């Protein structure tokens, strides 16, 4: 698997594979256990297909009781478990391990309750992101977070990765739209966090779970907030001669106190790929394309459109189209939503990155990416959530050419280092997984990482849930509690110790 190292398989566990598979069939009877090599191929990677590994066995439970029994069984026998939703993760978060049970939650696919008075939907984790909106849209409601993979990605996976989408600038990420979850701990205990109410008492454990990437527990139910569809939504399609001008326009819109429903940007390679793929009517003579959506009461939207158009013109916009119908608005977005598959048509392979920067640093980072592109001899197409600085550079390479995958990985690592250097972070919504795991020390020192690891230890002291992800170095929980003694003296000897 290229340069990614994973935990060494446990020989004792592999030696008991037949016994473990037989016990899994007792816990999950019927067709819920997959152990034939050819059938497990479908689960050997997630959306980060550069890395592949067959699991020891695949298990697809259907009830919370089955999940609980499975996790307790594995915990008691020191067997690793990798949770998986729809497998659309772009960071290798659901990459299987050779000696682990791959716990696939796709059969948890029912909406349990639609509660309009409280404006919530209670769903099982295998329900797709778009499936929630589909269930309530006839009554004028929708679920706001909308990642590009919303037709396939699961709401449980969204919780694991704290997914965003094009409308998260105004309406927030998954963390801002999830009110409660039911989860199963590694020891089999079933826990509820939050609920239909706005906020919970005590520590924000729901906040810890959202974005925890399958390291702390397995989500079996999700309660999400739904919103009333806005009265009006219109989009502007704005072209610029340079990415720098487009980036400055983004900063000026936010600086003017305008918070669009969505604000996305694409560079020339991405524009051409999307237009060839979707035929959305994108201008092909610009270096940067900005999509700005404004929603709310009609009078307010009309007023804001005028303000945004004026800001765009002051920043040298060469084209500006305003959607005249709902179909035209959706067409504007169709190209952006299809940007990833569209780029797949212009390159044999691409490596999708995910980093976040302060908005004002956008011109500097785009210039830096151009320099890195020349340095590595690989093309890059840029699509990003411009409003909140979440970048998605698509590095173009050919896996059939020896060394190109490694070059793409190094290129991507340098992009993320640049993001951190300018005051940004390693990930915006794709998660750390295995892809960014070894870059964590670029952003966190050893004390920071140890504190995060202590949270992991509180939920999963034996490190059996999704090991090898997020943290660059595995440590026993006992090591984190050790006290350093130098020449018979402890630090701060006057502090009582228990």
């Amino acid at each position: 698997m290229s340069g990614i190292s994973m935990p060494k398989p446990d020989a004792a566990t592999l030696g008991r594979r037949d016994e473990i598979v037989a016990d899994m069939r007792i816990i999950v009877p019927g067709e819920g256990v997959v152990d034939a090599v050819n059938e497990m191929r479908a689960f050997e990677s997630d959306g980060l297909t550069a890395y592949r590994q067959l699991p020891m066995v695949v298990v697809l439970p259907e009830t919370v009781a089955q999940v609980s029994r499975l996790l307790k069984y594995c915990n008691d026998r020191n067997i690793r478990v990798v949770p998986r939703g729809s497998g659309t993760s772009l960071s290798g978060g659901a990459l299987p391990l050779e000696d682990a049970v791959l716990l696939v939650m796709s059969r948890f696919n029912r909406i349990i309750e639609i509660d309009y008075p409280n404006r919530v939907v209670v769903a099982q984790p295998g329900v797709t992101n778009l499936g929630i909106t589909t269930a309530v849209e006839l009554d004028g409601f929708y679920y706001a977070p909308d990642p590009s993979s919303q037709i396939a990605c699961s709401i449980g996976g969204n919780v694991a990765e704290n997914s965003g989408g094009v409308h998260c600038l105004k309406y927030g990420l998954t963390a801002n739209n999830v009110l409660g979850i039911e989860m199963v701990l590694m020891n089999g205990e079933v826990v509820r966090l939050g609920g239909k109410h706005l906020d919970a008492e005590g520590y924000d454990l729901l906040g810890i779970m959202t974005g925890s990437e399958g390291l702390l527990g397995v989500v079996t139910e999700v309660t999400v907030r739904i919103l009333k569809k806005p009265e009006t939504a219109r989009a502007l399609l704005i072209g610029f001669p340079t990415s720098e001008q487009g980036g400055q326009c983004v900063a000026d819109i936010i600086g003017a106190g305008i918070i669009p429903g969505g604000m996305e940007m694409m560079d020339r390679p991405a524009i051409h790929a999307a237009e060839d793929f979707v035929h959305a009517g994108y201008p092909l003579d610009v270096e940067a394309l900005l999509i700005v959506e404004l929603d709310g009461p009609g009078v307010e939207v009309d007023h804001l459109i005028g303000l945004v158009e004026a800001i765009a013109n002051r920043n040298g916009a060469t084209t500006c189209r305003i959607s005249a119908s709902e179909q035209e608005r959706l067409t504007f977005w169709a190209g952006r939503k299809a940007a990833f598959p569209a780029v797949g048509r212009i390159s044999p392979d691409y490596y999708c990155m995910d980093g976040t920067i302060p908005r004002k640093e956008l011109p500097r980072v785009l210039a830096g990416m151009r320099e890195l592109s020349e340095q590595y001899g690989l093309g890059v197409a840029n699509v990003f959530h411009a409003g909140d600085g979440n970048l998605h550079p698509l590095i173009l390479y050919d896996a059939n050419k020896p060394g190109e995958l490694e070059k793409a990985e190094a290129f991507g690592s340098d992009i993320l280092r640049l993001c951190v250097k300018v005051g940004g972070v390693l990930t915006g919504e794709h998660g750390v997984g295995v892809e960014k795991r070894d870059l964590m020390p670029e952003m966190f020192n050893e004390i920071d990482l140890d504190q995060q690891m202590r949270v992991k230890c509180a939920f999963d002291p034996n490190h059996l849930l999704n090991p090898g992800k997020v943290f660059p170095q595995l440590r026993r929980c006992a090591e984190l509690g050790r006290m350093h003694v130098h020449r018979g003296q402890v630090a701060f000897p006057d502090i009582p110790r228990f």
Side-chain angles (χ1 to χ4, degrees):
M1 293 188 298
S2 189
I4 296 292
S5 61
M6 297 301 289
K8 184 179 179 181
D10 181 62
T13 298
L14 292 174
R16 293 183 289 126
R17 181 179 186 271
D18 291 344
E19 172 194 335
I20 293 168
V21 170
D23 289 342
M24 290 295 108
R25 294 192 191 281
I26 294 172
I27 296 172
V28 183
E31 298 180 349
V33 177
V34 179
D35 66 326
V37 170
N38 286 341
E39 293 175 1
M40 292 195 296
R41 290 283 178 205
F43 302 95
E44 68 181 356
S45 74
D46 56 14
L48 187 63
T49 55
Y51 309 127
R52 300 173 184 271
Q53 170 64 58
L54 282 175
M56 178 174 65
V57 61
V58 178
V59 184
L60 297 92
E62 294 185 83
T63 68
V64 177
Q66 288 174 351
V67 175
S68 175
R69 285 183 63 195
L70 185 153
L71 290 178
K72 186 177 189 309
Y73 173 94
C74 292
N75 191 61
D76 292 345
R77 292 159 181 80
N78 209 44
I79 301 168
R80 294 163 173 162
V81 177
V82 176
R84 176 186 168 111
S86 296
T88 58
S89 166
L90 291 169
S91 62
L95 181 70
L97 297 175
E98 182 182 347
D99 62 343
V101 174
L102 188 67
L103 177 57
V104 181
M105 298 299 290
S106 56
R107 290 189 172 185
F108 280 71
N109 57 9
R110 293 186 303 110
I111 288 180
I112 298 169
E113 181 186 5
I114 298 173
D115 182 349
Y116 288 125
N118 286 309
R119 295 201 171 187
V120 300
V121 168
V122 182
Q124 291 184 320
V127 173
T128 63
N129 173 289
L130 188 59
I132 294 176
T133 292
T134 302
V136 298
E137 62 184 354
L138 292 179
D139 294 301
F141 286 84
Y142 75 110
Y143 177 61
D146 56 343
S148 294
S149 59
Q150 66 180 152
I151 192 171
C153 66
S154 66
I155 191 65
N158 288 180
V159 171
E161 302 290 355
N162 192 19
S163 303
V166 298
H167 290 95
C168 68
L169 172 62
K170 183 173 184 178
Y171 296 105
L173 301 161
T174 301
N176 307 107
N177 290 275
V178 168
L179 297 175
I181 61 171
E182 176 188 77
M183 60 178 284
V184 184
L185 300 177
M186 190 65 213
N187 64 6
E189 291 182 12
V190 181
V191 177
R192 280 192 174 271
L193 303 174
K196 294 182 179 181
H197 46 285
L198 182 61
D199 204 358
E201 70 287 344
Y203 292 124
D204 184 14
L205 297 179
L206 180 60
I208 289 175
M209 275 299 299
T210 306
S212 61
E213 302 196 34
L215 270 71
L216 306 182
V218 177
V219 174
T220 51
E221 182 184 291
V222 185
T223 300
V224 300
R225 182 199 325 271
I226 52 173
L227 302 175
K228 196 74 176 173
K229 286 184 180 178
E231 175 189 314
T232 304
R234 297 175 69 190
L236 294 88
L237 197 65
I238 310 169
F240 294 92
T242 68
S243 294
E244 287 76 12
Q245 288 168 293
Q248 189 59 49
C249 181
V250 169
D252 289 352
I253 290 171
I254 300 295
I258 301 168
I259 307 298
M263 186 155 53
E264 300 290 300
M265 193 166 161
M266 304 162 68
D267 68 2
R268 176 181 281 270
I271 295 165
H272 282 249
E275 178 60 20
D276 289 345
F277 189 53
V278 174
H279 306 296
Y282 288 172
L284 299 179
D285 57 348
V286 297
E287 289 297 324
L289 186 66
L290 196 61
I291 306 174
V292 183
E293 180 168 291
L294 302 159
D295 59 18
V299 173
E300 178 187 1
V301 170
D302 289 343
H303 173 66
L304 292 176
I305 284 175
L307 295 180
V308 169
E309 192 173 13
I311 292 170
N313 289 332
R314 286 199 299 271
N315 280 284
T318 54
T319 66
C320 183
R321 283 175 56 197
I322 303 168
S323 64
S325 66
E326 176 66 4
Q327 184 56 51
E328 189 173 21
R329 181 185 74 86
L330 294 175
T331 300
F332 285 1
W333 282 115
R336 168 59 186 89
K337 289 273 188 178
F340 288 7
V343 169
R345 301 178 72 201
I346 64 173
S347 176
D349 301 280
Y350 68 82
Y351 192 22
C352 177
M353 304 305 299
D354 165 54
T356 302
I357 60 172
R359 280 184 294 266
K360 67 176 183 178
E361 299 291 350
L362 186 56
R364 176 181 172 187
V365 171
L366 288 175
M369 279 196 276
R370 282 195 291 271
E371 292 175 6
L372 289 169
S373 177
E374 293 176 7
Q375 175 186 327
Y376 284 99
L378 297 175
V380 61
N382 280 291
V383 294
F384 38 90
H385 307 310
D388 57 7
N390 185 195
L391 311 179
H392 292 312
L394 304 173
I395 299 170
L396 314 181
Y397 73 100
D398 185 349
N400 292 319
K401 293 182 179 179
E404 281 222 346
L405 171 57
E406 290 74 19
K407 278 207 299 183
E409 289 174 325
F411 185 0
S413 295
D414 280 347
I415 289 174
L416 295 177
R417 289 188 183 97
L418 177 59
C419 290
V420 173
K421 182 180 179 181
V422 302
V425 295
L426 291 172
T427 180
E429 58 177 341
H430 292 177
V432 176
V434 297
E435 178 201 35
K436 307 178 189 74
R437 179 196 66 194
D438 297 333
L439 290 171
M440 288 285 274
E442 298 284 337
M443 184 171 171
F444 301 105
N445 63 30
E446 190 171 351
I447 295 172
D448 298 331
L449 291 170
D450 282 352
Q451 281 297 104
Q452 293 180 44
M453 184 69 81
R454 288 185 178 98
V455 175
K456 164 74 168 169
C457 291
F459 285 81
D460 177 27
N462 297 320
H463 291 272
L464 296 175
L465 264 178
N466 218 10
K469 318 292 173 62
V470 179
F471 295 107
Q473 181 181 353
L474 283 176
R475 305 181 192 182
R476 292 194 301 265
C477 290
E479 294 177 24
L480 298 173
R482 286 179 179 167
M483 186 186 305
H484 180 66
V485 181
H486 180 63
R487 293 182 178 175
Q489 296 292 318
V490 298
F492 310 107
D494 55 324
I495 297 177
R497 302 183 188 276
F498 303 94

